[in-house]
Amino acid sequence: MIANMTEDQLLVLVIKYMKEAKRNALQELLDELHPYDFAQLYKGLPEKHHHKFLTFLTPSQIAALIQELEYEMQIEILHKLGIERSSKVMDYMDNDDLADLLNELSVDKIQEFLDIMKNEDSKTIQSLMSYPADTAGGIMTNQFVWIHADQTVRQAVDKLKEYASFSENIYYLYVINDEDKLVGVVSYRDLLIADINEIIEDLMFTRVVSVHVNDDQEEVAQMIERYDFIAVPVVDDHNVLKGIITVDDAIDVVIQEANEDIEKLSATGKAIDFNTKAVTASVRRLPWLVLLLFIGLVSGSIISGFEETLEQVVALIFFMPMIAGMTGNTGTQSLAVVVRGIITNDTDRKTVIKLIFRELRVGIIIGLTCGVLIFLIAYFWIGSLTLGFVVGTSLLITLIVGTLAGTIIPLTLNRFGVDPAVASGPLITTLNDIFSLIIYFGIATAFLTQLSGL
Amino acid sequence: MIANMTEDQLLVLVIKYMKEAKRNALQELLDELHPYDFAQLYKGLPEKHHHKFLTFLTPSQIAALIQELEYEMQIEILHKLGIERSSKVMDYMDNDDLADLLNELSVDKIQEFLDIMKNEDSKTIQSLMSYPADTAGGIMTNQFVWIHADQTVRQAVDKLKEYASFSENIYYLYVINDEDKLVGVVSYRDLLIADINEIIEDLMFTRVVSVHVNDDQEEVAQMIERYDFIAVPVVDDHNVLKGIITVDDAIDVVIQEANEDIEKLSATGKAIDFNTKAVTASVRRLPWLVLLLFIGLVSGSIISGFEETLEQVVALIFFMPMIAGMTGNTGTQSLAVVVRGIITNDTDRKTVIKLIFRELRVGIIIGLTCGVLIFLIAYFWIGSLTLGFVVGTSLLITLIVGTLAGTIIPLTLNRFGVDPAVASGPLITTLNDIFSLIIYFGIATAFLTQLSGL
């Protein structure tokens, strides 16, 4: 039934059930929804209904809801629930999500929650919280099912039944030895088509690809993407199995990574979000803008250095925005290729040199095309062959320089391990402004005698 | 053993085995590799070894290799193999990948391959090829296992054994009725923990979330990401099950989508790739650049309209690049927020209006900060309060306008269903150039009497 309802109709129905205290009807409706839908519903409900809505949900439903929300709303819910009910909800949360959530709280608050949790859970959470958020350890979950190699398929199936809530979203059993070291993996499908009395050792796949707890989350996501994995096990220095990372977390990393690239290209800082407050968004964007303001003034002082040339040939100014803009544009294009390419390509010496020469050729082709075009336009507009030559040659050279700057600057930063965020789009654009002005006015000054009087 | 080898060592070993015709040793080594590794190996081998390498691989290995390569290399391999061996390889390929590959060939060539295939396969492929590449139908595979609701777990397991090669990367059995309509889904885990004589109908989950063959691939990827699905079934108008889309394809769509956003922001066209030839890359980037060149000339002609003002107050030129650049920068920041945000947020009226007002506030905060800053700088540099006022006020206004332009233009295009690619970063930057020049010189001209003589 609800499959055909719009979000608004659903909201109206939920509010109706809550007002009439129809607990069963509401539960029936909620049963048909996924966690993502819970979250949409919660966000859609007017503020005043939030608290009541939570009283209608089971702890496991609240856990599912919380995992789909932003930190601010997660913490708001914890406050509404109070410590005791919160800790019940936390029992149902994935441990990786729970660790992330706790990390957002104050030290006192964390301790309060940890105290109320079962000792075992509390230890697990504390160990998960000890890994940096952007490492394999930080995104792994410890909700997986392991087994020993000498056990049978029947024992494995029994264990799966026992840990039914864990095994729901996992498609492999991990095989460990007496020292908890990862020695193999066996898929549910292999268990299904095997004889019930077979020994795991005879079924298992022993060449397990695993990642280290300290590995960067981007590398893990890349591995899952390249190898089409559903999950990848996480081990420590001694190959002891500590957790697993599932493909849905890898997708989140891929999206986060893409957003970071776009933040670099647009110098927005961590502000690509519809819900950030205006002041916060401004504070994140301002540092870049102020830096770019000063760099922009450098362009101005370069122009002031050529004041004499400009006063003699005012027509030069007409082409200035176009030349500076084009150099910026071609630089941004190259930058996008590099920023996006270094994720999916290795950046060994050979690749880098090949790329730089490719971009050089692109710069020459683009420069020649646009240079000839602007030569003709300038000639017919201003009626001076010399001016056409100066503008055309400048554009040819600035486009080549701009393309190379957009390629070499981010590659160099990357090579020296400097955060390539420094090579943001606007920075490249503004630097290219400076290059282009020096080249343009430099060439113009060289031809000043021929240009005078335009 | 090979786990510890570098890629180069691996290549040397492969070439050695090939030269010594050690077929078994090479096969043993290949057994330890994943399809992605095959592709890395193939790309790493010198051109002259390619043909020989292929003769050492089994058809199923070549199929795995082909699926990891770009079209150009895929087609090169088909040529090397010849029609007959190629068609053997195609038998092992995922049908969705195969349909994509065939779509790249000439009509004659496609027919040649289809003729040589088994009638059943040929029909399947032709039906897959009939869906546009960016729809659910275009990315689905028909390699899944279905079952009827009245069958038992035992029969399901038998069917899984029969289709072992299909079932490897799938974690669900799809349940259909006599008319091939999708009526339920059952996970391998549910089968595992069920009694062997249970009827599928009693186990299956009936509220299956499915997508339509014509659904956009981005929507499908978004659904898989939101609901943390491993696979989603694809149905036609009559709810007949046509195929499934797996999470690894969804990741590819997410990456492709992010690249498209970056192409929009940087106006590179489909050129974000290290391996594209320079000429091809140039041809893809040039249309935008030429368009931007003409728009840049509009800026020039605006300046020429203010020639008189400029001749009287040359100092105005010093601040021109900074004002134009800053307006472009703030516009790019807002654009990034919109382009990236419309993927993950609904763009209903309420959200859009809220966002526009947020950006307006951001524009005012940024404008006031930078405006006051540049007022002070201009005053101390040039020594004129009026110039400081003109530059500061201009920057305040242009930053607000720039922020709003970067927000409203892409949102408007999106609302009217125009491809937001038109609102590329450089286009916004160049438009903001024009806005900023008009505002700056307009204000300056109004204060011309007070400014004269600077």
Side-chain angles (χ1 to χ4, degrees), chain A residues 180-404:
Chain A
D180 289 350
K181 291 188 184 177
L182 179 66
V183 292
V185 65
V186 56
S187 73
Y188 288 5
R189 165 188 160 266
D190 293 335
L191 290 177
L192 261 181
I193 62 180
D195 184 274
I196 198 81
N197 294 314
E198 247 180 286
I199 306 293
I200 295 297
E201 186 155 25
D202 300 333
L203 290 179
M204 74 187 190
F205 186 77
T206 53
R207 297 187 308 270
V208 197
V209 179
S210 62
V211 296
H212 188 274
V213 278
N214 292 334
D215 281 351
D216 189 273
Q217 62 171 0
E218 291 190 13
E219 283 167 42
V220 178
Q222 203 175 58
M223 175 185 272
I224 289 181
E225 183 247 318
R226 284 181 172 176
Y227 289 103
D228 293 347
F229 287 149
I230 295 298
V232 64
V234 186
V235 297
D236 68 7
D237 289 340
H238 309 291
N239 202 32
V240 169
L241 183 59
K242 306 300 272 185
I244 66 166
I245 295 170
T246 48
V247 64
D248 52 294
D249 291 321
I251 295 188
D252 294 341
V253 172
V254 166
I255 293 177
Q256 189 186 329
E257 201 180 302
N259 281 341
E260 279 172 13
D261 284 340
I262 289 171
E263 284 158 9
K264 281 173 210 165
L265 286 168
S266 62
T268 39
K270 291 191 175 299
I272 298 196
D273 180 11
F274 277 16
N275 300 315
T276 313
K277 293 207 175 67
V279 178
T280 318
S282 306
V283 169
R284 283 177 184 162
R285 296 185 204 172
L286 263 172
W288 275 109
L289 288 174
V290 171
L291 177 64
L292 295 169
L293 187 149
F294 281 100
I295 302 182
L297 287 176
V298 176
S299 299
S301 67
I302 291 169
I303 300 179
S304 78
F306 288 102
E307 198 173 335
E308 209 176 312
T309 308
L310 273 175
E311 276 177 352
Q312 288 189 45
V313 196
V314 179
L316 283 174
I317 305 176
F318 307 160
F319 297 95
M320 199 178 81
M322 185 276 299
I323 289 186
M326 291 292 284
T327 316
N329 294 335
T330 191
T332 308
Q333 292 184 333
S334 299
L335 175 66
V337 173
V338 173
V339 165
R340 204 58 194 157
I342 50 182
I343 308 166
T344 39
N345 293 274
D346 297 320
T347 46
D348 53 279
R349 210 187 163 73
K350 207 177 110 194
T351 314
V352 167
I353 291 175
K354 201 181 134 204
L355 180 68
I356 293 176
F357 275 95
R358 203 272 304 267
E359 290 297 306
L360 174 63
R361 282 196 297 275
V362 169
I364 294 173
I365 296 171
I366 287 175
L368 281 175
T369 315
C370 296
V372 169
L373 191 64
I374 201 65
F375 165 77
L376 295 172
I377 293 172
Y379 174 60
F380 286 109
W381 184 13
I382 312 291
S384 153
L385 259 183
T386 319
L387 185 71
F389 175 77
V390 167
V391 175
T393 315
S394 300
L395 192 59
L396 166 64
I397 297 174
T398 59
L399 285 180
I400 295 172
V401 171
T403 307
L404 287 180

Side-chain angles (χ1 to χ4, degrees), chain A residues 36-37 226 259 267 333 340, chain B residues 36 226-227 259 267 333 340:
Chain A
Y36 174 75
D37 303 319
R226 284 181 172 176
N259 281 341
Q333 292 184 333
R340 204 58 194 157
Chain B
Y36 173 75
R226 285 180 171 176
Y227 289 103
N259 280 341
Q333 293 184 333
R340 205 57 196 158

Side-chain angles (χ1 to χ4, degrees), chain B residues 397-425:
Chain B
I397 298 174
T398 58
L399 285 180
I400 295 172
V401 171
T403 307
L404 287 180
T407 313
I408 294 172
I409 294 174
L411 281 175
T412 311
L413 290 172
N414 185 54
R415 161 87 14 149
F416 288 105
V418 179
D419 184 355
V422 190
S424 73

